[in-house]
Amino acid sequence: MTGVLNSKIHAKYPGDLGKFVTCVDDRFIIARYILSDGKDSFEFNSIYDVENETQKSYECRCAVKGGTVVLY
């Protein structure tokens, strides 16, 4: 995907990260992906570093307020 909402950067990031949540510090893209099989759901949150083009994904919930990201 190209372009990032709520930031000053214009970047490309993998579309398979999931649904865009926010951009933090004009560098980190937070995206959410939910995997469901009909009876169970699993939430994955990814943090994509635009500068280094690296990604880390976590099976957890996520909350973002300002520049603070909380994974729980």
Side-chain angles (χ1 to χ4, degrees):
M1 307 205 108
T2 59
V4 179
L5 299 172
N6 302 322
S7 73
K8 297 176 184 174
I9 63 172
H10 183 80
K12 290 186 178 188
Y13 60 94
D16 63 353
L17 282 180
K19 184 178 176 187
F20 177 83
V21 174
T22 193
C23 184
V24 177
D25 292 338
D26 290 332
R27 177 176 176 181
F28 301 99
I29 294 172
I30 311 298
R32 178 176 297 121
Y33 177 78
I34 298 185
L35 181 63
S36 178
D37 66 1
K39 66 178 185 174
D40 291 318
S41 292
F42 302 94
E43 180 176 331
F44 295 88
N45 287 279
S46 297
I47 301 173
Y48 182 76
D49 183 336
V50 173
E51 288 184 16
N52 298 323
E53 296 183 356
T54 56
Q55 167 191 339
K56 291 189 179 184
S57 296
Y58 305 92
E59 181 184 350
C60 64
R61 301 201 69 170
C62 177
V64 180
K65 180 158 181 156
T68 303
V69 178
V70 178
L71 302 173
Y72 59 97

